[in-house]
Amino acid sequence: MKRPSPQPASPATSLSPSHAMRMFGGIGRSLLAAFLILTLISIVLVGGATAVVGFDALRQAALARLSSVADLKQQAIQDWIVERQNDLGVIRSDPALSALMQTALSEPENADAVNALVTRLSAQTGSGQPFGSLFLIDAHDQSHVSTDPTQVGKVHSGKPYLVQGRLGPYVSSPYFDLTLGANQIAVAAPVQDRNGQALGVLVGQTNLDHLSKIVLSGSGLGSTGESYLVSRNFRFLTQTRFTPAEDVLPLAGVRSRLGDPAASSGQDIYENYAGASVAGVYRFIPGLEVYLLTEQAVAEVLTQAQRALLASAAISLVATGIAAAGAYLTTRRLTRPIVDLTQTVMRVTEGDLQQTATIERRDEIGVLAQAFNRMTTQLRESIGTLETQVQARTEQLRASADVGRAAASILDPDRLLREVTSLITERFGFYYTAIFTLDEDRRYAVLREATGEAGQTLKARGHRLEVGGRSMVGYATANLQPRVALDVGQEAVRFANPLLPETRSEIALPLVAGGRVLGALDVQATQAAAFDENSIAVLQSMADQVAVALANAQSFDTIQATLQATTRLYDLSRALSAATSAHVAYAAVIQPQARLQGLDRLDLLLVAARTPSGEPLEYRVAAEWDAPTGAHVEPGRIYTSEQLPLISLADQASMVLVRNADDPQVPLPTRRILEGSGWKAVLLAPLLVRNQFEGLLIAAARRPLNFEDIDTRYVQSITEQLAVVLNGLRSHEESRLALERIALLNQRLSGEAWRHYLASAQQLLVESGRAPETGSGNRLAAPIVVRGETLGTLELEDADAQRQWTDEERNLLSTFSAEVALAIENARLIEQTQRRAAREKQLNQIAERLRQAAGINSILRIAAEELGQALETSHANVRLGTPASVTLPRKT
């Protein structure tokens, strides 16, 4: 490019030195003002920063001190929880107590064992003991034994300490006991027999007095600090320094932070329950599900910060005066040479590039003059090549913009990579461009797209480079950093490809999106040192755009796969929810599973026989699908582990997954079983119904199959839903059978009662109206049925033999007979109840007379009299003695 010749300055634009000085307003005054302003600003900023840092340091120190106190109290509370569990464990593990608890639960009528157990447990309660009360809950959810008489017979169904205590040791969160009128904590543990079978739950109750002492004790909180506990519903559990307006933590302040489910702990400055600004630390104690809050007033924390701020202000004023004097002296010394240099600069800005600055000093101003002279020289040289560089840079930016447009508009990854490699090669004039992506194991970078004949050949060969290996692509993908070889002959870490013999320089850039490496962009040129900072920056920008586009494409594919899986799962859920039998549910499970891509066989097996120890011995086919025939095999076939070796790989508690039987990481026994069966990939999901292993879902393929995480979650969801459906069907069948048995039993008992009643009453016949002559009437009858037992008939007879009974009359008679049956059943029950009440009253009167009797003779006499009167006999005797010595009197 031709450099323009310097043009003489016009009168309108020429500036004399004095004019320049006037324009700048006096460089001395400007520098002095600048020095003073900068110094003042620096001092103000430093002072302010010092105050802010000091305040923050004090705040952090206060919060750290509060955090230490909170940690100590939290640890003390955790230790208290462990101690209560240990206390209950000691009680439960005591051999004598354990035997008494087992006897009391297995033999509830054993009063001696119950009383002994109450005595032993009462010794563990009261003042100075870990528990305020202890009670034993039986299998019917009732407290069978309790040190508190008010707790005996109480039902605890659904209580957390009962539900969790049957599974293992458990400590409940604080709750309000209406009987005691105070907050309590329950510690529970299961009681088992010698065979490990659960008999009941031992529960110990303790109040929050000791926890209050832990929270209120200690130091390090100053004169305004305090600690207290609140529940998950923000109610105060311990005392506070000030009496709160309500027993619930206010909405403002720390409650908004505690309401966050993720806020298990934290610290901040906020308003406490009394409306005061405090520095606080909060901890969530999962063992009790309560919050521990430790707070101190902000005013007390900031007392030291105010003193530090005053000292900082005094120092700042002194520093300002010293800085002003130094600035004045320095400005005077710098002014003159800068004015001379300014005159030269003004001439250069007018277009006279031949001007040079006079160098008279050896300090920084002299160095500045030398630098100015070099700058004008370089400026003259660079103007000639500037246009060419701008044009090249523009082309690079256009190429980057084209890559960006392609990345934003193309969702197909293969098409996107073809467009990018072509753009880079054509626009930059490079020798070779390739894009690698990592394989599933992230061990190799596989060539995905490349330019030229060499690129097509390498793609056909499945060219790949090891991540972290001796190649530039391996280095870039392993270290997430670009690798540049300006001279490939001097680069030690590089793969020399014989298909690309003209390469002289190379660059590999990682494709990174979201902090995760996806592959690498590899560019090679025939010139040495072909990559400068500008081209590297543009290529890195392209690599970032390609990485984002690849990540978006992968996310799109993942979303599509998730949507398909969700749709399949929804369809299956509808089919299972509509299943009226187990066979329909089995077919519903197999049908969508059979569409999983790549499967050759799918079996749903149910346990058909078990060993004496409960281990599965044989499996029955509930549903089966075979890919070669595409047919669903009829259920009923029996398999053993010898007939179907895949069964031996099953885990009764978790899913078993093998993607490739040839993978050396697969255990050797598993590989042998798969090789012997001819399978390369297998997925086995257990079917658990009521926490018991009931069957197995087997999906197998003859070739390696990449089961995605979404596939495994889909299979697991299917087995879980099938288990729920089977459990529901079983529960429905059990309920139906139970209702039938109850109905049959009621019918049998009602029938026996009526047979005894009718036998004692002989026959009941009630007539109304005038009966017609024999054989001359027309009769309509309806049976009287009580709970399936026919007791008699309700008959209507009309003297008119030609009368036709209407349907309405028949329905009325049937309805009336049903009402009669209900009424006489109620009457019989009332009569039976009245007889029992009279008999109970008579027995109570006899017992009262016996209790009032003074001696044995009186008791025997009263017994004989009352028994004879009650049974309406003519004679009654009562004798004491052995059978041999007792002679019954002869009746006269």
Side-chain angles (χ1 to χ4, degrees):
M1 178 178 178
K2 184 178 180 180
R3 180 173 59 89
S5 59
Q7 300 294 328
S10 64
T13 59
S14 177
L15 294 176
S16 64
S18 60
H19 189 188
M21 291 294 292
R22 289 196 301 272
M23 186 184 70
F24 287 105
I27 190 169
R29 292 192 299 273
S30 300
L31 286 176
L32 180 59
F35 277 138
L36 291 177
I37 292 173
L38 291 176
T39 301
L40 184 60
I41 291 175
S42 300
I43 292 174
V44 171
L45 290 178
V46 170
T50 302
V52 172
V53 171
F55 170 78
D56 187 66
L58 289 174
R59 172 179 172 273
Q60 294 298 330
L63 290 175
R65 183 174 64 257
L66 293 176
S67 180
S68 299
V69 174
D71 291 340
L72 291 175
K73 294 183 183 295
Q74 181 179 5
Q75 184 61 45
I77 294 174
Q78 297 289 358
D79 293 341
W80 181 84
I81 295 174
V82 174
E83 289 174 2
R84 298 292 79 78
Q85 289 180 320
N86 292 338
D87 292 336
L88 192 68
V90 170
I91 296 173
R92 190 171 61 123
S93 60
D94 186 297
L97 278 173
S98 177
L100 287 174
M101 287 189 288
Q102 294 178 16
T103 303
L105 290 172
S106 59
E107 302 177 12
E109 71 281 354
N110 192 336
D112 294 337
V114 171
N115 294 333
L117 180 58
V118 171
T119 302
R120 293 291 300 274
L121 292 179
S122 297
Q124 304 292 333
T125 60
S127 178
Q129 297 298 330
F131 299 106
S133 65
L134 289 165
F135 51 91
L136 190 62
I137 303 176
D138 58 17
H140 302 291
D141 299 345
Q142 292 183 337
S143 50
H144 181 57
V145 177
S146 176
T147 60
D148 183 0
T150 61
Q151 295 286 340
V152 178
K154 183 178 179 180
V155 179
H156 302 268
S157 299
K159 298 295 183 181
Y161 52 77
L162 173 60
V163 177
Q164 299 295 332
R166 284 174 172 166
L167 303 177
Y170 171 73
V171 178
S172 74
S173 58
Y175 60 92
F176 187 80
D177 192 302
L178 295 176
T179 305
L180 301 176
N183 289 318
Q184 300 288 319
I185 294 176
V187 183
V191 177
Q192 301 173 338
D193 58 13
R194 296 179 179 178
N195 298 326
Q197 298 295 325
L199 298 176
V201 178
L202 178 62
V203 181
Q205 277 187 324
T206 181
N207 55 35
L208 272 66
D209 292 343
H210 192 78
L211 281 181
S212 297
K213 294 178 181 179
I214 293 175
V215 173
L216 297 175
S217 64
S219 59
L221 297 179
S223 60
T224 61
E226 64 174 332
S227 294
Y228 54 93
L229 294 177
V230 296
S231 63
R232 286 296 292 267
N233 56 356
F234 309 114
R235 294 189 176 274
F236 291 98
L237 299 176
T238 58
Q239 296 179 356
T240 57
R241 178 182 293 272
F242 303 101
T243 302
E246 299 180 358
D247 62 347
V248 180
L249 198 65
L251 289 174
V254 73
R255 179 168 173 179
S256 61
R257 297 164 176 80
L258 299 182
D260 185 1
S264 59
S265 63
Q267 58 187 26
D268 205 346
I269 293 178
Y270 53 85
E271 288 188 0
N272 66 355
Y273 59 89
S277 179
V278 297
V281 174
Y282 48 91
R283 297 281 190 272
F284 179 70
I285 303 177
L288 297 178
E289 293 190 353
V290 299
Y291 290 99
L292 170 66
L293 288 89
T294 303
E295 301 169 347
Q296 186 179 13
V298 173
E300 184 177 7
V301 175
L302 298 182
T303 301
Q304 298 179 358
Q306 294 173 353
R307 291 195 291 267
L309 184 61
L310 293 175
S312 176
I315 295 173
S316 298
L317 290 175
V318 175
T320 301
I322 296 173
Y328 176 74
L329 297 175
T330 303
T331 301
R332 289 190 61 185
R333 186 173 181 274
L334 293 177
T335 302
R336 187 174 300 276
I338 292 178
V339 170
D340 295 337
L341 183 59
T342 302
Q343 295 175 6
T344 305
V345 171
M346 295 303 296
R347 294 188 182 97
V348 171
T349 57
E350 292 171 358
D352 187 2
L353 299 180
Q354 304 301 323
Q355 288 289 329
T356 57
T358 303
I359 303 173
E360 297 178 350
R361 303 179 54 152
R362 302 298 180 183
D363 56 7
E364 286 79 2
I365 295 178
V367 174
L368 178 60
Q370 294 178 355
F372 178 76
N373 293 335
R374 288 196 298 270
M375 180 187 68
T376 55
T377 303
Q378 293 174 0
L379 182 60
R380 290 191 295 267
E381 295 175 353
S382 62
I383 287 178
T385 58
L386 181 59
E387 184 176 350
T388 303
Q389 294 177 356
V390 170
Q391 184 177 1
R393 180 65 172 166
T394 302
E395 289 297 326
Q396 293 176 355
L397 293 177
R398 286 178 180 174
S400 178
D402 291 341
V403 170
R405 283 192 294 271
S409 60
I410 300 176
L411 287 178
D412 183 7
D414 294 331
R415 180 186 169 193
L416 171 65
L417 298 182
R418 285 195 301 270
E419 291 284 343
V420 171
T421 53
S422 299
L423 280 171
I424 294 175
T425 303
E426 294 172 2
R427 297 293 180 86
F428 288 84
F430 290 129
Y431 174 46
Y432 171 79
T433 303
I435 294 179
F436 293 79
T437 57
L438 299 187
D439 61 4
E440 296 175 356
D441 298 330
R442 304 184 67 81
R443 295 176 56 188
Y444 291 95
V446 182
L447 180 63
R448 187 77 174 270
E449 187 60 51
T451 58
E453 183 178 350
Q456 300 305 315
T457 303
L458 291 174
K459 280 183 59 178
R461 293 179 181 178
H463 179 56
R464 65 179 185 175
L465 297 172
E466 184 179 4
V467 175
R470 295 183 59 83
S471 67
M472 299 185 64
V473 170
Y475 176 89
T477 53
N479 298 278
L480 278 70
Q481 293 180 354
R483 182 84 178 193
V484 181
L486 299 179
D487 186 354
V488 296
Q490 304 297 325
E491 180 62 41
V493 181
R494 183 181 179 274
F495 172 74
N497 198 321
L499 296 178
L500 301 168
E502 299 180 16
T503 299
R504 292 296 176 267
S505 58
E506 181 179 0
I507 182 173
L509 303 104
L511 303 178
V512 181
R516 182 170 177 265
V517 61
L518 305 179
L521 171 64
D522 182 59
V523 180
Q524 300 181 23
T526 57
Q527 302 86 14
F531 304 102
D532 56 11
E533 294 183 358
N534 291 333
S535 60
I536 293 175
V538 173
L539 289 174
Q540 183 63 66
S541 174
M542 293 181 178
D544 294 340
Q545 294 176 12
V546 172
V548 172
L550 285 176
N552 291 339
Q554 292 176 358
S555 300
F556 179 76
D557 293 340
T558 302
I559 292 173
Q560 290 295 106
T562 303
L563 179 60
Q564 294 176 1
T566 304
T567 303
R568 289 187 301 177
L569 189 59
Y570 173 73
D571 294 339
L572 177 62
S573 300
R574 293 183 57 188
L576 286 176
S577 61
T580 57
S581 66
H583 296 292
V584 176
Y586 300 150
V589 168
I590 287 293
Q591 183 63 32
Q593 279 288 86
R595 293 198 295 268
L596 287 178
Q597 188 174 2
L599 289 184
D600 294 311
R601 180 165 179 168
L602 193 63
D603 294 271
L604 179 60
L605 308 179
L606 302 179
V607 177
R610 299 180 184 270
T611 62
S613 62
E615 293 297 323
L617 184 62
E618 294 180 346
Y619 291 84
R620 175 177 55 83
V621 176
E624 190 175 60
W625 174 81
D626 185 49
T629 61
H632 293 270
V633 181
E634 291 296 328
R637 182 185 302 174
I638 299 298
Y639 283 122
T640 63
S641 58
E642 289 79 11
Q643 295 171 330
L644 189 59
L646 292 179
I647 297 175
S648 60
L649 299 178
D651 188 336
Q652 298 184 17
S654 60
M655 184 179 297
V656 176
L657 176 62
V658 178
R659 293 184 173 91
N660 187 358
D662 298 330
D663 190 345
Q665 295 183 357
V666 177
L668 182 59
T670 302
R671 279 188 286 167
R672 289 178 176 174
I673 292 175
L674 293 176
E675 291 173 359
S677 304
W679 303 108
K680 291 294 184 181
V682 65
L683 185 150
L684 299 93
L687 177 62
L688 302 177
V689 182
R690 298 180 180 178
N691 294 327
Q692 184 177 2
F693 180 72
E694 295 289 345
L696 190 65
L697 182 65
I698 302 177
R702 298 289 183 185
R703 58 184 179 83
L705 188 59
N706 182 26
F707 289 102
E708 301 289 346
D709 291 341
I710 191 171
D711 295 331
T712 58
R713 291 195 298 269
Y714 175 61
V715 172
Q716 185 176 4
S717 299
I718 287 176
T719 56
E720 291 174 354
Q721 291 193 37
L722 178 59
V724 171
V725 171
L726 294 180
N727 185 39
L729 292 174
R730 291 183 183 180
S731 300
H732 177 73
E733 182 65 18
E734 292 171 356
S735 300
R736 186 185 64 79
L737 295 176
L739 291 175
E740 290 181 354
R741 289 194 295 270
I742 292 173
L744 182 61
L745 180 60
N746 288 334
Q747 180 179 351
R748 184 181 301 168
L749 293 176
S750 178
E752 292 178 356
W754 272 106
R755 283 192 291 272
H756 289 302
Y757 183 86
L758 294 177
S760 61
Q762 296 300 324
Q763 184 177 3
L764 296 175
L765 176 62
V766 178
E767 295 185 355
S768 176
R770 181 177 59 84
E773 297 179 1
T774 303
S776 61
N778 190 353
R779 180 177 299 177
L780 178 65
I784 300 175
V785 181
V786 177
R787 296 184 181 177
E789 187 74 19
T790 302
L791 304 181
T793 58
L794 182 63
E795 298 179 352
L796 295 177
E797 190 170 1
D798 196 331
D800 185 3
Q802 301 300 323
R803 177 172 179 172
Q804 297 293 326
W805 301 97
T806 66
D807 293 340
E808 183 178 357
E809 291 172 336
R810 291 188 178 90
N811 293 335
L812 179 61
L813 183 60
S814 298
T815 303
F816 194 72
S817 66
E819 295 294 333
V820 170
L822 179 61
I824 64 175
E825 173 67 5
N826 291 337
R828 183 187 67 80
L829 293 175
I830 293 173
E831 182 179 342
Q832 182 179 1
T833 303
Q834 290 174 346
R835 288 198 302 270
R836 288 181 180 177
R839 181 63 55 86
E840 292 292 337
K841 181 177 180 181
Q842 187 177 23
L843 290 176
N844 290 335
Q845 293 174 352
I846 295 173
E848 182 64 25
R849 289 194 61 190
L850 290 175
R851 283 194 296 270
Q852 295 176 357
I856 297 177
N857 290 331
S858 299
I859 293 174
L860 296 178
R861 179 178 55 79
I862 293 172
E865 292 175 356
E866 294 294 342
L867 185 62
Q869 293 177 4
L871 300 180
E872 298 180 354
T873 60
S874 60
H875 190 77
N877 290 327
V878 178
R879 298 290 181 89
L880 294 180
T882 60
S885 62
V886 174
T887 304
L888 295 177
R890 181 177 301 173
K891 295 181 179 180
T892 59

